[in-house]
């Protein structure tokens, strides 16, 4: 249906032309669209230049526009927006609180209980800090209540607030051990330290750090007592608030706060906050009917209220009439005996077709929160269009915000979206969307992972790329931020028998995995990759991933016997395939594993053989990595001169212009070698050599979050400087070690205090055991 007005016309002029072409007055368009006459007049006169997409959709429906005319109107509304650009790499803050709702109402009795517990925790009353379990039906506002408490400016918890989504309703709820690792990382414990700790040691470290915090920890959407129990602190001032749909009756010594539905007064207050006090107070009877039809459930009320708020010309009575349509209710979306989906159906009924389709497709996204890029891929639309559609869903109350520029779909709304997707889109479209998302996620994971791999680095320029991968840091942030969804795509690829794809993704992550040892899924990644190699009948490929699996078993899970078995299998497979390089790596891993348990002679034998094979394969990266391990073995065997000579050889090789390692590989090799050789110098009292080595690596461990090594660099550098009579600089290094506080082990802090005290008193530096 043409109008004769191009899409480049200003929005107000185009809107007026469309209205005139339908022979509608402003009042008639207001009645048809639900947008107030004043708002329409302001838009036509140019006083309101950038209307929300939901407003544009309502106007288009009131004007009965076809798809072409609607697209013209939407393009005009978006014309003033800045140009599209790839999504920036998200800085990973997985425990940041989501933004609380601005119009929180009611729940005063429950807030009073939680505030009292927060004060009790802050004051350190009781043998153990208090904990609360907030339970209630889905959509009752459990998370909103916990976030409200944590956001209060008068909170007596100066160390802040943290939230962990326990994903209790997922097929794979978050294990307690992964929650512990995530919290420790957020509290400053380095990835390298986490990687060395057993599960029991991590729990002990968690309890140690938690005991020193005055904060609120929200364990959101817990599924079982087993998830929560290890995370309850035994001492200190940390208040834990658990939210769950289950009662978690097996937890002892917790305060239980049960949320029901809102009262009639609270429901009216929520409607006032969202829709406006004037409209609600003008129709109190209709407002009460709306509350009743929403089951007085906060989520359903908020969805219905957001819908009404964007249609200021509609009465609440008209809204109540829409909600009363029983045909819009689905049995699958009840909360106990409450039926809330009529509010969802109402909001969906007024969405533009593209937004409604996006809402349905979002049910296919795995994991918790998400950014606009995967939504764009699912819907097969440009990124700016996806951002607009998500904002329209946000305006309609069908989507929630999460940390930073990310979104989250409530569990009830995910169920509702999935039901609509099944009924409206069909299996064929669903499979196509899933495949599109899977391929994009795995393609992006490969590009991001290869930033850290020798021979790759920065991916080719691509103006159509949906995420920014312009440097290693951006790539690392994407891998971490989207870990849940690319891992789900990886699992799906394995289930579909896409063996080559599985191996490719795992290979791309190999060099990056050292930078995120504590993730908790590397064993699964390389088990699946090794199985893919076996399924393809490709012995060399299977050997490669069994080598990586040996690393994961030991570095990530401390499963030494399985690590040795995997490396031994890799050696056998590589030998059968005639793959010299993977034989070299198998010996390298076996040397590392033997050294880890103090078997120096077998470790040296494996390392020597690995160096011979790396030379044969002309692989300098592998040769230098093994050489770093040899420094430690030679030192343990009392061959300090040979260890120093090995380190010198590494530096000479890296200085050779023919060596073209990526910067991250070069930096890691230098750091590893110099740190290892510093222990040789320290043990033999070569203080000046030790100072030179340690000064060259000072600050590099800190930047990687490897706080234990960082503390030892400061401590050992201070000791060497003190022995050289450089007292002022030595004192500064002791203080730098102490400044790391509980991010370093207690023995490092104790030795730093003793060294600083000796300096102050004019005594010689105390003896230190120089151990890596």
């Amino acid at each position: 249906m043409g109008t004769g007005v191009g899409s480049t016309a200003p929005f107000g002029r185009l809107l007026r032309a469309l209205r005139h072409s339908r022979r509608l007055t402003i009042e008639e368009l207001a009645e048809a669209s639900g947008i107030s006459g004043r708002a329409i007049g302001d838009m036509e006169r140019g006083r309101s230049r950038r209307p929300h997409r939901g407003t544009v959709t309502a106007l288009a429906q009131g004007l009965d526009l076809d798809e072409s005319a609607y697209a013209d109107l939407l393009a005009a509304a978006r014309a003033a927006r800045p140009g599209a650009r790839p999504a920036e790499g998200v800085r990973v803050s997985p425990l940041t609180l989501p933004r609380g709702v601005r119009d929180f109402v009611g729940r005063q009795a429950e807030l009073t209980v939680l505030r009292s517990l927060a004060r009790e925790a802050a004051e350190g009353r009781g043998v153990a800090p208090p904990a609360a379990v907030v339970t209630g039906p889905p959509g009752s506002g459990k998370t909103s209540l916990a976030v409200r408490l944590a956001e209060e400016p008068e909170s007596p918890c100066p160390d802040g607030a943290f939230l962990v989504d326990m994903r209790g309703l997922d097929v794979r709820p978050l294990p307690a051990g992964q929650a512990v690792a995530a919290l420790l990382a957020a509290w400053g414990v380095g990835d390298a330290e986490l990687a060395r700790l057993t599960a029991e040691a991590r729990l002990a470290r968690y309890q140690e750090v938690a005991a020193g915090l005055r904060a609120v920890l929200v364990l959101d959407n817990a599924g079982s007592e087993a998830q929560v129990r290890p995370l309850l602190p035994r001492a200190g001032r940390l208040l834990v608030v658990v939210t769950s749909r289950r009662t978690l009756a097996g937890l002892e010594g917790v305060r239980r706060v049960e949320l029901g539905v809102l009262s009639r007064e609270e429901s009216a207050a929520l409607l006032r906050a969202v829709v406006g006090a004037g409209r609600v107070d003008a129709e109190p009877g209709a407002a009460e009917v709306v509350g009743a039809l929403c089951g007085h459930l906060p989520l359903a009320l908020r969805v219905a209220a957001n819908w009404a708020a964007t249609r200021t010309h509609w009465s609440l009575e008209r809204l109540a009439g829409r909600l009363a349509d029983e045909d819009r209710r689905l049995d699958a979306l009840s909360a106990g005996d409450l039926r809330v989906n009529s509010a969802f159906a109402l909001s969906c009924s007024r969405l533009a077709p593209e937004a409604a389709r996006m809402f349905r497709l979002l049910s296919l996204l795995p994991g918790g929160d998400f950014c606009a890029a995967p939504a764009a891929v699912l819907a097969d639309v440009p990124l700016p269009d996806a951002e607009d559609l998500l904002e329209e869903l946000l305006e309609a109350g069908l989507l929630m915000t999460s940390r930073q520029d990310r979104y989250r779909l409530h569990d009830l709304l995910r169920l509702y979206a999935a039901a609509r997707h099944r009924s409206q889109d069909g299996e064929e479209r669903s499979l196509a969307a899933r495949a599109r998302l899977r391929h994009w996620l795995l393609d992006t994971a490969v590009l991001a992972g290869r930033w850290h791999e020798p021979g790759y680095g920065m991916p080719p320029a691509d103006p159509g790329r949906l995420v920014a991968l312009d440097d290693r840091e951006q790539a690392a942030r994407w891998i971490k931020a989207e870990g849940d969804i690319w891992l789900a795509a990886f699992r799906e690829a394995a289930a579909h028998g896409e063996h080559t794809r599985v191996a490719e993704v795992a290979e791309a992550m190999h060099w990056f995995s050292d930078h995120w040892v504590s993730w908790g899924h590397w064993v699964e990644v390389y088990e699946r990759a090794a199985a893919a190699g076996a399924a393809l009948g490709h012995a060399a490929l299977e050997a490669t991933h069994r080598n990586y699996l040996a690393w994961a078993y030991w570095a990530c899970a401390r499963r030494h016997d399985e690590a040795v078995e995997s490396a031994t299998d890799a050696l056998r497979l590589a030998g059968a395939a005639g793959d010299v390089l993977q034989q070299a790596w198998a010996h390298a891993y076996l040397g590392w594993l033997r050294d880890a348990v103090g078997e120096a002679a077998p470790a040296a034998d494996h390392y020597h053989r690995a160096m011979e094979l790396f030379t044969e394969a002309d692989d300098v990266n592998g040769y230098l990595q093994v050489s770093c391990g040899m420094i430690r073995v030679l030192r343990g065997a009392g061959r300090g001169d040979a260890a120093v000579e090995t380190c010198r050889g590494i530096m000479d090789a890296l200085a050779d212009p023919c060596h073209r390692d990526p910067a991250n590989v070069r930096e890691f090799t230098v750091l590893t070698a110099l740190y290892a050789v510093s222990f040789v110098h320290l043990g033999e009292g070569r203080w000046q050599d030790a100072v030179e080595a340690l000064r060259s690596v000072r600050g590099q461990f800190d930047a990687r979050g490897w706080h234990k090594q960082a503390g030892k660099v400061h401590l050992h550098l201070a000791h060497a400087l003190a022995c050289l009579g450089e007292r002022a600089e030595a004192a500064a290094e002791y203080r730098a070690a102490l400044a790391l506080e509980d991010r370093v082990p207690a023995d490092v802090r104790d030795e730093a205090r003793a060294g600083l005290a000796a300096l102050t008193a004019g005594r010689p530096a105390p003896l230190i055991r120089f151990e890596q």
Side-chain angles (χ1 to χ4, degrees):
M1 193 180 296
T3 65
V5 182
S7 62
T8 57
F11 177 78
R13 190 165 8 131
L14 178 58
L15 176 61
R16 184 185 295 115
L18 289 167
R19 179 172 61 79
H20 287 170
S21 72
R22 270 66 176 174
R23 301 182 182 278
L24 294 174
T25 66
I26 287 180
E27 290 72 19
E28 288 170 334
L29 178 55
E31 172 64 21
S33 66
I35 306 300
S36 72
R38 171 180 285 185
I40 294 172
D42 285 345
M43 285 183 273
E44 289 191 357
R45 289 190 294 273
R47 293 181 180 175
S48 176
R49 296 178 180 273
R50 296 177 65 185
H52 292 299
R53 180 173 178 132
T55 301
V56 178
T57 300
L59 289 169
Q61 291 170 339
L63 290 164
D64 193 25
L65 299 184
D66 60 18
E67 290 188 9
S68 175
Y70 170 66
D72 286 350
L73 187 64
L74 185 61
R78 289 163 46 189
R81 298 183 181 179
R85 58 184 175 83
E88 291 292 335
V90 178
R91 291 202 173 274
V92 182
S93 301
L95 307 185
T96 302
L97 288 176
R99 295 199 298 271
V101 294
R102 296 186 301 275
D103 38 34
F104 185 92
V105 300
R107 306 302 193 197
Q108 291 307 306
E110 294 86 352
L111 270 174
T112 298
V113 172
L114 294 177
R115 287 170 182 149
S116 174
L117 291 175
R119 287 192 297 272
E120 179 184 334
E123 294 167 6
R125 289 182 267 151
V127 177
V133 175
V134 179
T135 59
S140 58
K142 299 180 290 296
T143 304
S144 295
L145 176 66
V147 170
R148 180 72 169 190
L149 172 76
E151 283 184 335
E152 290 187 333
E154 64 273 17
S155 169
C157 301
D159 292 331
F162 307 87
L163 182 144
V164 180
D165 182 1
M166 304 302 288
R167 305 202 299 266
L169 297 180
D170 286 8
V171 176
R172 299 170 181 261
L174 185 73
Q178 287 185 30
V180 165
L183 284 162
L184 284 173
W187 294 341
V189 177
D191 189 70
E193 180 182 348
L194 285 173
R196 287 194 303 272
L197 298 176
T198 64
E200 293 76 12
R202 284 186 184 181
L203 279 174
R205 188 82 168 101
Y206 169 84
Q207 291 290 342
E208 176 189 355
V209 178
L213 291 175
R214 286 194 296 164
V216 176
L217 170 59
V218 180
L219 302 178
D220 192 36
N221 194 19
S224 68
E225 292 87 344
Q227 274 189 305
V228 172
R229 191 174 286 112
L231 299 171
L232 298 180
R234 295 191 293 266
R237 301 180 180 186
L238 178 68
L239 172 65
V240 175
V241 179
V242 182
T243 73
S244 179
R245 296 186 183 184
R246 300 183 58 221
T247 60
L248 305 183
L251 292 180
E252 299 177 349
V254 298
R255 183 68 177 270
R256 301 189 181 279
V257 178
E258 185 174 353
L259 296 187
V261 298
L262 296 176
S263 67
R264 290 187 302 173
E265 294 76 17
E266 289 172 332
S267 293
L270 179 54
L271 288 172
R272 284 191 192 94
V274 180
V275 179
R279 293 174 67 188
V280 174
D281 292 343
E283 298 182 85
E288 187 168 334
V289 172
V290 169
L293 289 171
C294 289
H296 297 289
L297 198 67
L299 175 64
L301 269 165
R302 190 172 299 282
V303 169
N306 282 337
W307 186 89
T310 60
R311 288 153 181 86
T312 55
H313 201 65
W314 279 43
S315 66
L316 293 186
E317 183 177 358
R318 189 170 182 178
L319 170 62
R322 296 282 301 209
L323 286 170
D325 186 351
E326 293 287 339
D327 292 338
R328 296 181 183 273
R329 298 183 178 180
L330 295 177
D331 291 339
L333 290 170
S334 61
D337 60 352
L338 302 175
R339 296 181 181 274
V340 301
N341 53 291
S342 53
F344 305 160
L346 177 57
S347 285
C348 286
S349 71
R350 298 294 287 181
L351 292 173
E354 300 96 325
R357 175 173 172 265
M358 174 68 85
F359 175 65
R360 299 192 302 270
L361 288 170
L362 290 179
S363 67
L364 301 179
L365 271 176
D369 59 6
F370 56 91
C371 64
V377 174
L378 266 178
D380 199 18
V381 298
L383 186 62
D385 291 1
E387 291 170 341
D388 284 348
L389 294 170
L390 293 173
E391 288 301 311
E392 182 173 347
L393 296 176
L394 194 63
E395 288 175 32
L398 296 171
L399 207 56
M400 300 183 293
T401 59
S402 184
R403 54 194 167 97
Q404 299 163 334
D405 296 327
R406 298 175 74 80
Y407 303 88
R408 184 175 179 179
L409 201 59
H410 188 280
D411 294 333
L412 278 181
L413 287 165
R414 185 182 295 276
L415 287 173
Y416 183 71
R420 292 179 74 98
H421 177 64
R422 287 192 298 271
S423 64
Q424 296 184 35
D425 297 317
E427 185 66 16
E428 184 176 344
R429 290 180 181 176
S430 178
L431 290 173
R434 286 178 183 275
R436 191 163 56 243
L437 178 64
R438 180 171 74 252
H439 295 321
W440 176 80
L441 284 169
L442 297 184
D443 283 345
T444 308
V446 168
L447 289 176
R450 282 179 173 167
W451 248 116
H452 302 78
E453 184 176 353
Y456 287 94
M458 184 176 181
D462 180 1
R465 186 171 295 127
L466 297 180
V467 295
L469 297 175
D470 298 330
D471 54 46
R472 290 200 314 274
E473 288 69 28
Q474 285 183 338
R477 288 199 296 270
W478 185 88
I479 293 170
K480 292 182 178 182
E482 309 302 343
D484 282 348
I485 59 174
W486 75 252
L487 178 63
F490 180 80
R491 289 167 174 159
E492 194 172 302
H496 281 77
E498 297 172 5
H499 304 307
T500 301
R501 187 66 156 157
V502 166
E504 179 190 25
V505 174
E507 176 65 48
M509 289 293 166
H510 168 54
W511 284 89
F512 170 77
S513 58
D514 272 320
H515 299 268
W516 199 19
V517 180
S518 62
W519 182 37
H521 295 290
W522 296 121
V523 167
E524 178 188 352
V525 166
Y526 290 113
E527 282 180 339
R528 290 186 183 275
L536 291 168
H538 195 315
L541 185 65
E542 183 182 356
T544 299
H545 291 287
R546 290 209 173 277
N547 272 326
Y548 301 159
L549 181 56
W551 168 84
Y553 276 140
W554 181 234
C556 307
R558 285 300 183 259
R559 291 153 63 176
H560 189 269
D561 291 347
E562 288 166 280
V564 170
E565 181 181 354
S566 188
T568 303
D569 286 344
L571 183 59
R572 173 182 53 79
L573 289 162
D579 189 318
V580 174
L581 183 59
Q582 289 309 316
Q583 291 179 66
W585 278 114
H587 279 294
Y589 284 119
L590 287 167
W592 172 60
L593 291 165
R594 295 304 184 192
D595 182 37
V597 293
E599 298 176 359
D605 290 342
H606 283 297
Y607 278 154
H608 280 303
R609 182 57 180 148
M611 294 170 79
E612 292 171 354
L613 290 166
F614 279 127
T615 300
E616 181 181 341
D618 195 24
D619 188 302
V620 68
N621 292 314
Y623 185 92
L624 295 181
Q625 293 295 309
V626 173
S627 297
C628 291
M630 278 297 296
I631 295 174
R632 176 185 171 102
V633 171
L634 290 168
R635 175 188 171 234
R639 298 177 60 193
D641 289 343
V644 172
E645 187 61 33
T646 300
C647 182
R648 189 174 294 117
I650 293 171
M651 299 305 154
D652 289 345
L654 291 172
D656 189 330
C658 296
H659 188 75
R660 301 181 182 275
D661 261 352
N664 64 298
V665 178
R666 175 186 297 272
E667 291 165 4
F668 182 77
T669 304
V670 170
L671 179 61
T672 303
L674 289 176
Y675 183 65
V677 84
S678 72
F679 287 88
V680 178
H681 298 318
L682 291 164
E684 297 184 357
R686 295 188 246 185
W687 307 121
Q688 189 59 51
D689 290 338
V691 166
E692 291 175 6
L694 291 167
R695 276 179 176 161
S696 65
V697 300
R698 180 176 49 190
Q700 295 187 46
F701 285 119
D702 311 64
R704 287 171 166 79
W706 297 0
H707 300 303
K708 179 180 178 180
Q709 290 89 339
K712 288 198 170 187
V713 168
H714 290 304
L715 175 66
H716 296 162
L717 179 55
H719 185 87
L721 288 164
C723 292
L724 290 172
E726 303 289 342
R727 303 176 65 82
E729 190 178 351
E733 293 299 329
Y734 280 131
R735 293 191 185 98
L738 290 170
L740 292 170
E741 298 178 329
D742 59 1
R743 285 171 288 176
V744 298
D747 62 327
V748 173
R749 301 196 301 270
D750 291 343
E751 290 175 343
R753 289 190 193 95
L756 189 58
L759 276 180
T760 304
R763 298 192 305 270
L767 295 176
I768 292 178
R769 293 182 61 190
F770 300 111
E771 294 182 346
Q772 287 180 256

